[in-house]
Amino acid sequence: MLDKILSKKAFLSFVFISLVVGGIMSFGSMGKLEDPEIPVKAAVVITSYPGATAKEVEKEVTDILEKAIQRLEHIDHIESRSMPGLSEIQITIESGVPSSQLPQLWDHLRRKVNDAKGGLPSGAGAPNINDDFGDVSGIFMAISNDGHDYYDFQNYVDDISKELLDINGVKRIETFGKQREVVNISFNNEYFATLGVNPMMIFQAFHDQGQTVDAGSFVSGSQRIRVNIGNKFQSIDEIKNFEVKLSNGGRYRLGQIARVTRDFYDPVTERLKYNGFPAISLALSMEAGGNVIELGERVEERLQKIEESLPVGIEIHPVYFQHKNVDDAINDFMINLIESVLIVVVVLLLAMGFRAGLLIASGLVFTILTTFIVMGATGIELHRVSLAAIIIAMGMLVDNSIVVVDGILVDLQKGIKQKKAFVATAKKSAMPLLGATLVAILAFLPLAFNSTAAGEFLRPLFYVLAISLFLSWILALIQTPFMAQFFYRKGRQKKSKSGEIETNQGVFYRWFDKVIRFSLLHKSMMAILMVVLLVASFWSFKFVKKDFFPNSPYNQFLLEYYLPEGSDVSQVETDLELVQKEISQWEEIDFVVSALVRTPVRYTLSRPMNSMNMNYGELIISLKSEDDLNPVKQRLQEYVSQNYPQADARTRNYSSMGGDYKIQAMFQGPDDKVLFQLAEQAKAIMRKEEMAAFVNDNWRNPVKTLSPKYSQEKARKLGVTRGDMARAIAIATSGHPVGSFYDGEYRLPVMLKLNKTVADDVNQIASIPVWAGLPTSVSLEQLVDSIDMEWEYNVVRRYDAKRSIKVQADPAPGFTGVQLQTALTKKIEAIPLPEGYTLKWLGEIDSSTKANAALAENMPLAFLLMVIIIIGLFGNFRQPFIILCLMPLSFVGVILGFQVTGISFGFFSIIGTLGLMGMMIKNAVVLLDEINVEIKEGRDKLTAVINSAVSRLRPVMMASLTTILGMLPLLWDEMFKTMAVAIMFGLLVGTIITLIVVPVLYTVFYRVNTKALRK
């Protein structure tokens, strides 16, 4: 069969040319992203309940909705926070649920929430369900304003947004930083009293004027004519000219008796600044399956045209352009790819000769290009994981070709005719190489079925490795023999001085022959030595630093800044402005973006997200060079810790995995006071630990609350309801909505408020005027039993419908999350828990446990398939058992590598170790197959073992060496270096072990007498 295929020279030449052209074209046209597209399997339900306390929101809104949501299928957990006037519930779906089922689940969620809506109190708003808050907006820009009227600036931003939304491939645009505008009607209570004006009359009259009413229609002849009673308020002047009628017959225009102004809503609900200048951001999301580089180029081209028409003072600034990062990553990949190819080629040229090296290298190029074709056809995009997979596979892709070429060279040296020599090894090795290749692929199989976030992130690694390795086997059997005829036209028979044909001769071969003979002669000692080495390695593993997931490499980082609960957002803004001015003078800083209240948008998968908090702000700090990241980050942390001790401020890297904090101990139970006591004990333990930093809890501190105690007896006599009192207090503080005003583009709420609010004079609280149905008012103190200043928590947090509090911390610089977790676990678990209270570990250990458990869950399947293949290859049980005995020894080199380098062992390292096992099994299969071939040719077992070990020395060493050196570029990749260390050191030591231990174990299991080697 293979002879017939190789005889079709014209056909094969056309196929190989097509593969080159198709590979280049596929590389240029396939989708390109920064990270794999991983859907955030979570939705948020937000419900307003104005005027309610946090505990009222919990009982009357959150609890009702949670009970309904809990009936939804495939829920992993539900987290909620109830705040004054607002309920927020986050539903996280089980990681094993396919992404294709999420739309149906979200539809079921809407039905559950809609069914529960009738049980909500009358003052609660309709629940709002957001199921796309986890979408990544890959293009994030800030538009700054220097000197222009805000209304004009906002119109410019809207125009830019409309222009960009029209670009092909743009799915959605989100804005952040727009100031919420309102129309304020401010009045003087004493003046209203002299005029006999009840502000509630303005409320009712304004409501009637602004309300949309259907005036009906009538029939005229054969036509039906609709009646339109005219427009509502169209301008501020119309509101000012609105006529207020008094009960005594008097009439006043609203502008005569009150001040009507267009202002910004206070307090600020979101704000953005770029290098200190007011700004609004635009975040562009790409349609699924698009090419972010091409989209980015279209966006930049349109921005250039837009900037030409912008006035001076309005500028567009890139904050995070994913296509730039992807472009840089692909350029870096091409450099790494070229470096890896050159390293592999140089190794092959030095070890196997010029022609053999070029022959094997040609197979490597064909394999990579064909892999691009298959990736494009199957919809696998180019991103950091798929690109890393190709580099990881780089050395393995030449393994099959090395075996085939080495066999060709040996046959040619033996004097076998060229035509037969070119196909003999391919035929002989086809099935063993297929089995070995499948084993190498199966080593990464647990990734394919790992449904955790970490598993989904790395899943393309398995697919790309599987595709490329399988293609390398096909091309080794066809392309390598086909191309060999052009490299070896005359053969290369080599004879010794005695006239015999030389194979496997040389100083190194002779030295290794002596090593094998010594090992076989002392096989019992070698077996014991391996056991001792294995035990010592596992013992020393406790000294290796451990971590879960590496940080993503960027030239940006964050400063998350929390003031104590109850702080005004304006103070957060003031503090961040001072920090921004300070660090803008540092030469390493490129630009600084500040955001208030919440995170602007998820513009990259690894971007940490923070929900709305009125005491929160953040800085997005971009550096000129990624190399300055850690020094500047540490310097800023020291600066804010020294100068802003009242704040809970921490610098933070982008990270593809992990939660808010690496260490999270969650206590659950019914009584929040008991929860606080447990949390304080846990925090005290954490603060005593030198490895712990940023210790806090997620309820934070209690806040001051003004509580007028409404007296029904007093209020009934005066004809004042609880609602009247609440509206009056709102008018005296932040304002009370009386309607809305549409200016042609925006709908603005109209707020009624005193011109001198409580914020201007806190002593006027008791004298706040309260109106009922009469034109005169009564003071607040006439309606209440007392006015108290109380302390309460601004939030009630629940986890799976139970009150919970998380005690949180991060490791201090120089330590890992695993080290800190190990130091804290026993101490915190020793805290006595009252009945009905539980402790659960979340954070990094929870993510790590789930990810590792998902890997372990599928390892038996991969292991079983490996065993089936190995047994099928050898047709017995002893040789597969020899290979299985080899697998634990793979850890020897891995553990040594992490001890030498000092880097942390984590999830990527586990993946690398699994792959390493596959590589070692592959080498063992090749070696055992050669022993079987030698025995079939009539040699005794001892001779066959020695000859096979020596003859397989070059292909096994070359396969390992090319893999090790081909992965060198990954040692400088922050994300994949732990995987590279595991494979490189593991394979370096493992290859030596394989070449010695397999022959030793063979002689042990087959009871080969090695005493003859003493002679």
Side-chain angles (χ1 to χ4, degrees):
M1 180 68 178
L2 185 58
D3 298 298
K4 291 182 179 180
I5 294 175
L6 293 174
S7 65
K8 308 290 185 182
K9 294 185 179 181
F11 172 74
L12 289 177
S13 298
F14 175 76
V15 169
F16 294 137
I17 292 172
S18 299
L19 291 178
V20 173
V21 175
I24 294 171
M25 292 178 65
S26 296
F27 178 80
S29 63
M30 63 199 308
K32 297 177 178 66
L33 297 169
E34 182 178 17
D35 290 306
E37 287 186 318
I38 302 176
V40 178
K41 298 176 182 177
V44 176
V45 179
I46 298 176
T47 311
S48 63
Y49 188 17
T53 66
K55 291 187 176 180
E56 287 173 338
V57 170
E58 178 201 21
K59 293 177 181 178
E60 299 178 38
V61 177
T62 303
D63 187 63
I64 292 171
L65 292 176
E66 280 183 340
K67 287 177 179 176
I69 293 169
Q70 281 181 316
R71 296 196 294 269
L72 185 70
E73 61 272 28
H74 302 302
I75 290 179
D76 184 79
H77 65 271
I78 300 173
E79 282 192 85
S80 67
R81 58 176 188 153
S82 301
M83 299 162 284
L86 190 69
S87 166
E88 180 183 284
I89 305 171
Q90 180 169 318
I91 304 98
T92 302
I93 301 300
E94 292 173 345
S95 57
V97 175
S99 302
S100 58
Q101 292 185 18
L102 289 180
Q104 184 178 3
L105 275 175
W106 301 146
D107 184 54
H108 290 177
L109 173 64
R110 286 182 171 84
R111 293 179 191 175
K112 303 290 184 188
V113 172
N114 190 58
D115 291 342
K117 191 165 56 176
L120 299 180
S122 58
N128 177 37
I129 301 174
N130 180 8
D131 58 23
D132 59 2
F133 78 102
D135 287 359
V136 175
S137 302
I139 300 176
F140 180 53
M141 66 189 77
I143 305 172
S144 63
N145 175 29
D146 183 10
H148 288 267
D149 176 75
Y150 180 81
Y151 185 73
D152 294 336
F153 170 57
Q154 186 172 255
N155 287 336
Y156 277 115
V157 174
D158 289 341
D159 291 341
I160 294 170
S161 179
K162 291 174 184 176
E163 282 279 324
L164 297 177
L165 190 59
D166 192 45
I167 297 174
N168 181 35
V170 175
K171 174 184 174 183
R172 184 177 68 248
I173 296 180
E174 292 183 54
T175 62
F176 179 87
K178 280 189 174 182
Q179 299 307 292
R180 183 181 172 190
E181 290 186 278
V182 296
V183 175
N184 283 325
I185 301 173
S186 306
F187 66 93
N188 181 286
N189 180 55
E190 289 77 12
Y191 182 53
F192 267 32
T194 60
L195 296 176
V197 178
N198 185 335
M200 292 300 104
M201 297 170 58
I202 298 177
F203 172 82
Q204 186 60 49
F206 198 96
H207 180 267
D208 293 341
Q209 177 69 21
Q211 190 175 16
T212 300
V213 180
D214 184 5
S217 62
F218 64 91
V219 176
S220 176
S222 60
Q223 294 182 322
R224 178 169 292 279
I225 300 174
R226 187 178 71 84
V227 179
N228 183 4
I229 61 174
N231 294 325
K232 298 177 287 186
F233 294 119
Q234 297 293 303
S235 67
I236 297 293
D237 289 336
E238 287 188 15
I239 296 177
K240 291 179 179 179
N241 292 327
F242 172 64
E243 194 172 74
V244 179
K245 298 178 182 178
L246 307 181
S247 56
N248 60 9
R251 295 169 178 263
Y252 293 96
R253 289 183 177 178
L254 185 58
Q256 292 178 305
I257 58 175
R259 186 163 58 93
V260 180
T261 56
R262 182 168 178 165
D263 300 313
F264 294 122
Y265 182 78
D266 186 34
V268 171
T269 55
E270 60 181 55
R271 181 169 289 171
L272 191 83
K273 291 184 178 180
Y274 182 92
N275 282 343
F277 291 100
I280 297 174
S281 69
L282 299 179
L284 283 64
S285 298
M286 182 179 68
E287 292 179 352
N291 186 322
V292 71
I293 293 179
E294 294 178 358
L295 175 62
E297 290 172 350
R298 290 194 292 271
V299 169
E300 288 196 83
E301 184 179 343
R302 184 68 62 89
L303 287 176
Q304 285 182 348
K305 295 179 181 179
I306 292 172
E307 286 175 329
E308 294 174 358
S309 61
L310 291 178
V312 175
I314 295 180
E315 298 180 359
I316 302 174
H317 311 275
V319 177
Y320 192 93
F321 275 15
Q322 188 183 102
H323 60 281
K324 294 285 190 185
N325 292 338
V326 173
D327 199 30
D328 291 342
I330 290 176
N331 290 335
D332 291 342
F333 159 73
M334 292 306 298
I335 294 172
N336 291 340
L337 179 61
I338 293 169
E339 288 176 350
S340 295
V341 171
L342 290 176
I343 290 170
V344 171
V345 170
V346 169
V347 171
L348 293 171
L349 292 176
L350 293 174
M352 302 193 71
F354 181 77
R355 286 185 290 180
L358 288 182
L359 176 58
I360 297 170
S362 68
L364 174 61
V365 174
F366 277 111
T367 302
I368 294 172
L369 292 175
T370 310
T371 300
F372 288 149
I373 295 174
V374 179
M375 287 173 62
T378 54
I380 300 175
E381 297 97 347
L382 279 177
H383 41 64
R384 77 171 78 203
V385 176
S386 59
L387 295 177
I390 295 175
I391 296 176
I392 291 169
M394 190 70 61
M396 293 187 284
L397 297 182
V398 297
D399 289 1
N400 294 324
S401 293
I402 287 174
V403 173
V404 173
V405 172
D406 185 71
I408 291 173
L409 295 180
V410 171
D411 286 346
L412 289 176
Q413 288 174 354
K414 290 179 179 178
I416 296 174
K417 291 183 179 180
Q418 288 178 305
K419 188 174 182 180
K420 184 178 179 181
F422 292 151
V423 298
T425 303
K427 285 182 177 180
K428 178 178 67 174
S429 305
M431 294 311 295
L433 288 179
L434 175 60
T437 300
L438 291 177
V439 166
I441 293 171
L442 289 172
F444 292 95
L445 182 67
L447 274 180
F449 301 104
N450 190 321
S451 57
T452 64
E456 287 199 51
F457 183 82
L458 287 173
R459 187 173 295 165
L461 188 78
F462 167 76
Y463 292 125
V464 175
L465 282 168
I467 291 168
S468 59
L469 288 174
F470 187 72
L471 289 173
S472 74
W473 174 75
I474 295 175
L475 290 169
L477 299 183
I478 298 175
Q479 181 265 337
T480 301
F482 177 77
M483 299 289 288
Q485 59 189 320
F486 301 106
F487 284 84
Y488 299 102
R489 296 182 180 274
K490 296 181 180 180
R492 41 179 287 161
Q493 188 176 29
K494 185 177 181 182
K495 294 184 179 181
S496 64
K497 294 179 180 179
S498 62
E500 296 179 356
I501 297 172
E502 277 190 4
T503 59
N504 302 322
Q505 297 299 312
V507 176
F508 188 67
Y509 284 105
R510 289 193 293 271
W511 174 83
F512 184 68
D513 181 81
K514 292 178 181 178
V515 171
I516 287 294
R517 290 175 182 273
F518 177 85
S519 301
L520 296 178
L521 182 60
H522 303 88
K523 56 186 178 183
S524 298
M525 182 189 72
M526 295 300 295
I528 295 171
L529 181 62
M530 288 299 107
V531 173
V532 171
L533 184 61
L534 183 62
V535 172
S537 296
F538 278 116
W539 174 81
S540 65
F541 186 62
K542 64 182 181 181
F543 301 109
V544 173
K545 287 197 299 183
K546 300 169 188 70
D547 210 346
F548 172 48
F549 218 83
N551 291 320
S552 300
Y554 288 108
N555 66 332
Q556 290 183 355
F557 69 97
L558 306 172
L559 173 67
E560 297 177 340
Y561 191 90
Y562 286 92
L563 284 179
E565 289 284 343
S567 301
D568 187 61
V569 68
S570 61
Q571 185 60 52
V572 178
E573 183 175 23
T574 300
D575 291 353
L576 288 182
E577 282 182 354
L578 295 174
V579 176
Q580 180 266 323
K581 288 178 181 177
E582 167 64 26
I583 65 176
S584 293
Q585 302 174 36
W586 300 357
E587 61 179 14
E588 301 93 341
I589 303 296
D590 187 15
F591 62 82
V592 180
V593 176
S594 64
L596 293 181
V597 180
R598 64 182 177 89
T599 297
V601 71
R602 190 190 299 271
Y603 47 83
T604 178
L605 181 67
S606 54
R607 204 296 182 200
M609 299 294 290
N610 289 287
S611 301
M612 183 184 73
N613 279 289
M614 298 306 293
N615 59 322
Y616 173 74
E618 67 179 36
L619 297 181
I620 303 170
I621 300 144
S622 187
L623 306 176
K624 296 174 183 176
S625 172
E626 185 182 317
D627 297 335
D628 296 323
L629 179 64
N630 289 329
V632 173
K633 183 168 162 278
Q634 185 175 352
R635 180 182 174 188
L636 178 57
Q637 184 65 62
E638 292 173 355
Y639 173 80
V640 293
S641 298
Q642 292 173 3
N643 294 278
Y644 302 91
Q646 74 280 10
D648 183 2
R650 64 168 175 164
T651 55
R652 192 172 177 189
N653 288 336
Y654 292 173
S655 179
S656 299
M657 297 295 144
D660 290 338
Y661 288 83
K662 292 198 171 189
I663 307 299
Q664 291 183 330
M666 181 179 70
F667 295 96
Q668 285 185 285
D671 190 342
D672 50 8
K673 292 181 180 178
V674 176
L675 291 177
F676 299 149
Q677 292 172 0
L678 294 172
E680 286 302 321
Q681 294 180 62
K683 285 191 287 186
I685 292 171
M686 288 183 177
R687 291 187 178 114
K688 290 178 182 177
E689 177 55 59
E690 64 173 358
M691 290 187 285
F694 310 118
V695 177
N696 61 60
D697 67 73
N698 64 343
W699 283 55
R700 298 189 181 271
N701 58 281
V703 299
K704 289 181 181 178
T705 303
L706 183 68
S707 298
K709 306 298 183 182
Y710 176 73
S711 171
Q712 291 191 17
E713 183 180 350
K714 293 180 180 179
R716 186 170 56 249
K717 294 178 182 178
L718 297 171
V720 179
T721 67
R722 188 170 181 270
D724 292 332
M725 190 178 86
R727 281 189 289 270
I729 294 174
I731 290 172
T733 53
S734 56
H736 181 66
V738 297
S740 61
F741 159 61
Y742 183 68
D743 68 352
E745 289 192 50
Y746 305 102
R747 185 171 298 281
L748 280 60
V750 179
M751 309 292 289
L752 186 64
K753 61 191 304 184
L754 291 175
N755 57 2
K756 188 177 182 181
T757 65
V758 172
D760 298 317
D761 182 8
V762 73
N763 294 319
Q764 74 172 47
I765 292 174
S767 59
I768 290 176
V770 182
W771 299 269
L774 301 173
T776 57
S777 63
V778 296
S779 63
L780 180 66
E781 60 185 347
Q782 295 177 266
L783 304 171
V784 298
D785 290 329
S786 63
I787 301 176
D788 302 323
M789 188 68 75
E790 300 176 344
W791 291 90
E792 68 176 21
Y793 282 88
N794 245 353
V795 64
V796 176
R797 293 188 180 269
R798 291 160 52 127
Y799 190 96
D800 285 338
K802 297 178 182 178
R803 283 189 179 178
S804 65
I805 186 169
K806 293 179 187 176
V807 180
Q808 310 169 131
D810 271 340
F815 300 98
T816 67
V818 175
Q819 288 176 306
L820 179 57
Q821 183 75 55
T822 303
L824 294 174
T825 299
K826 290 183 179 179
K827 296 176 183 177
I828 292 180
E829 289 181 352
I831 297 174
L833 299 177
E835 186 177 352
Y837 292 82
T838 59
L839 166 64
K840 181 178 181 179
W841 290 102
L842 298 176
E844 190 173 83
I845 190 173
D846 182 56
S847 302
S848 176
T849 301
K850 289 179 179 178
N852 293 337
L855 275 181
E857 181 181 322
N858 296 295
M859 283 179 66
L861 174 62
F863 182 77
L864 176 63
L865 293 175
M866 287 182 189
V867 171
I868 290 173
I869 290 172
I870 296 170
I871 292 175
L873 280 175
F874 296 110
N876 60 65
F877 292 103
R878 279 188 284 187
Q879 292 182 14
F881 191 73
I882 290 172
I883 293 174
L884 296 181
C885 289
L886 194 68
M887 292 180 68
L889 293 171
S890 61
F891 289 96
V892 174
V894 173
I895 295 170
L896 176 64
F898 284 96
Q899 288 176 331
V900 169
T901 59
I903 64 175
S904 300
F905 184 94
F907 186 73
F908 279 70
S909 314
I910 297 173
I911 301 300
T913 304
L914 291 176
L916 169 66
M917 290 180 181
M919 297 174 200
M920 289 183 64
I921 292 173
K922 185 177 182 181
N923 289 338
V925 167
V926 171
L927 181 52
L928 286 171
D929 178 68
E930 185 65 21
I931 294 174
N932 294 335
V933 170
E934 290 273 338
I935 292 173
K936 285 179 182 179
E937 291 178 355
R939 294 176 179 85
D940 63 88
K941 289 183 178 179
L942 182 57
T943 304
V945 168
I946 296 172
N947 288 351
S948 298
V950 175
S951 67
R952 293 294 90 186
L953 175 63
R954 180 167 63 180
V956 170
M957 289 295 291
M958 286 304 98
S960 299
L961 197 57
T962 52
T963 301
I964 292 168
L965 296 179
M967 294 186 70
L968 270 176
L970 287 183
L971 286 179
W972 288 269
D973 187 290
E974 192 67 30
M975 181 167 287
F976 289 96
K977 68 181 180 183
T978 62
M979 185 185 293
V981 167
I983 293 176
M984 292 173 70
F985 280 85
L987 198 55
L988 178 64
V989 177
T991 300
I992 299 170
I993 290 175
T994 301
L995 288 169
I996 295 175
V997 172
V998 169
V1000 169
L1001 291 177
Y1002 187 93
T1003 58
V1004 171
F1005 281 97
Y1006 282 89
R1007 298 180 180 178
V1008 178
N1009 186 359
T1010 60
K1011 292 180 179 179
L1013 296 174
R1014 293 182 184 276
K1015 299 178 182 178

